[in-house]
Amino acid sequence: MSSFVRPALPGEDPLTARSRNSAGSAQTHAVRNGSHRTARPYRPVSLHLAIAPPVSVVIPAMNEAENLPYVFKTLPDWIHEVVLVDGRSTDNTVRVARELRPDVKVVTQRGKGKGDALISGFAACTGDIIVMIDADGSADGNEIVSYVSALVSGADFAKGSRFANGGGTDDMTPIRRLGNRALCAVVNAKFGARYTDLCYGYNAFWRRCLDDITLDCTGFEVETLMNIRVVQAGLKVQEIPSHEFDRIHGVSNLRAVRDGLRVLKVILREKGVPRATRRRPAGLRITALRGEVS
């Protein structure tokens, strides 16, 4: 999927730049392809950037009604769609999401776990670019522009990092920090990666990448699995400095020791898994294609 990006001229309104680019792109495609298809309109991102690819944001959530107002408030107005994956919440998560954003696409998760939720959300996306972000208010949606900029500039996978220069975290205990550092070192050594962060859920990628990183896990280890498989697939990865804030309301379902062991198990298993043998569990596939979307 081709993407186009150019800076607006000094003093030029992004909407004007978008219109002019759309017309120019349409003419270029007509000449190259012998057709008269009109190029997709550009979305103004800032005074200096406009993009053509639509962007989908996937937010897995379970009982996050109190946090969603903070999450949705930071989302850029130029994104194409928001996909909320509801893990059968017992509070008003879905109602609040619809009040905040009437056009939100709600997917009802049938399985369990963050990995299962993300797989369901990815399947419901219609954008060329997919951004995954947590629903607890710990991530700043304003950073999405940095992720998207990296992708339209040539990266396949934009990976958030709390430990890259410019990143940071307010929500990591010493044991989690130590565990993340150790697991990251193992992945770098075993798979030839150069990651500064491993277990972080703020990432973005071209939707086509899903064909190269078939996901087949259900828990918090899904982020590690994605990071490993993008390297195995030879995709171009760019780390994006990101700041993680404290969860605003509620308690995280993450358990450092339990989930750390699951991550380690994935790392040890992946080295010996031929790509051709990867199979997404049937239940996840059904969830993704038949999950209740409204």
Side-chain angles (χ1 to χ4, degrees):
M1 182 68 66
S2 299
S3 62
F4 307 90
V5 57
R6 77 152 184 84
L9 298 175
E12 181 181 28
D13 184 85
L15 292 174
T16 303
R18 177 179 67 177
S19 299
R20 183 154 60 81
N21 270 278
S22 296
S25 297
Q27 294 174 359
T28 301
H29 281 291
V31 171
R32 291 181 178 177
N33 304 328
S35 66
H36 297 283
R37 290 186 302 170
T38 302
R40 288 176 301 181
Y42 280 75
R43 285 174 159 69
V45 175
S46 71
L47 290 176
H48 308 288
L49 178 68
I51 62 170
V55 177
S56 298
V57 176
V58 176
I59 308 176
M62 185 171 69
N63 298 327
E64 300 285 8
E66 291 184 281
N67 293 321
L68 288 185
Y70 300 91
V71 177
F72 278 47
K73 183 179 180 180
T74 67
L75 296 179
D77 57 9
W78 46 263
I79 60 176
H80 169 62
E81 68 181 353
V82 174
V83 178
L84 181 88
V85 185
D86 178 49
R88 299 191 298 279
S89 298
T90 57
D91 66 358
N92 295 319
T93 291
V94 174
R95 179 177 63 79
V96 170
R98 287 177 172 150
E99 289 176 351
L100 293 169
R101 190 177 178 110
D103 63 343
V104 67
K105 182 182 293 185
V106 177
V107 177
T108 302
Q109 183 181 355
R110 293 187 177 180
K112 294 182 179 181
K114 187 175 184 180
D116 178 271
L118 287 173
I119 291 170
S120 299
F122 295 161
C125 290
T126 60
D128 294 333
I129 290 175
I130 297 176
V131 181
M132 45 190 281
I133 188 171
D134 290 337
D136 58 5
S138 62
D140 183 359
N142 290 305
E143 293 179 358
I144 290 177
V145 64
S146 298
Y147 290 80
V148 171
S149 296
L151 295 176
V152 298
S153 297
D156 297 308
F157 191 88
K159 179 188 178 307
S161 173
R162 296 160 291 186
F163 304 112
N165 187 26
T169 178
D170 301 329
D171 186 34
M172 183 172 280
T173 62
I175 188 172
R176 284 179 55 202
R177 186 184 296 267
L178 178 62
N180 184 71
R181 182 180 301 175
L183 293 170
C184 188
V186 174
V187 167
N188 288 343
K190 287 178 67 68
F191 301 98
R194 298 188 202 176
Y195 294 142
T196 60
D197 198 353
L198 185 67
C199 308
Y200 190 40
Y202 200 171
N203 303 292
F205 53 91
W206 292 99
R207 186 174 59 177
R208 56 178 166 73
C209 294
L210 291 172
D211 294 332
D212 297 313
I213 58 172
T214 304
L215 300 177
D216 50 11
C217 69
T218 61
F220 281 102
E221 69 274 16
V222 64
E223 293 137 2
T224 297
L225 185 66
M226 294 179 74
N227 292 333
I228 291 174
R229 289 189 174 173
V230 296
V231 172
Q232 291 178 318
L235 300 179
K236 184 177 180 180
V237 181
Q238 182 171 332
E239 284 198 332
I240 307 298
S242 177
H243 191 96
E244 178 186 41
F245 298 92
D246 286 322
R247 163 183 276 274
I248 299 175
H249 296 287
V251 179
S252 173
N253 292 318
L254 177 68
R255 297 294 178 266
V257 176
R258 178 199 65 187
D259 293 308
L261 290 175
R262 293 185 66 163
V263 168
L264 180 59
K265 183 178 180 180
V266 165
I267 295 172
L268 297 176
R269 182 196 69 191
E270 274 303 292
K271 192 65 176 179
V273 178
R275 182 176 169 184
T277 64
R278 296 172 188 164
R279 292 292 183 272
R280 183 177 293 122
L284 294 183
R285 186 62 177 169
I286 292 173
T287 299
L289 296 181
R290 299 182 184 175
E292 300 173 22
V293 180
S294 57

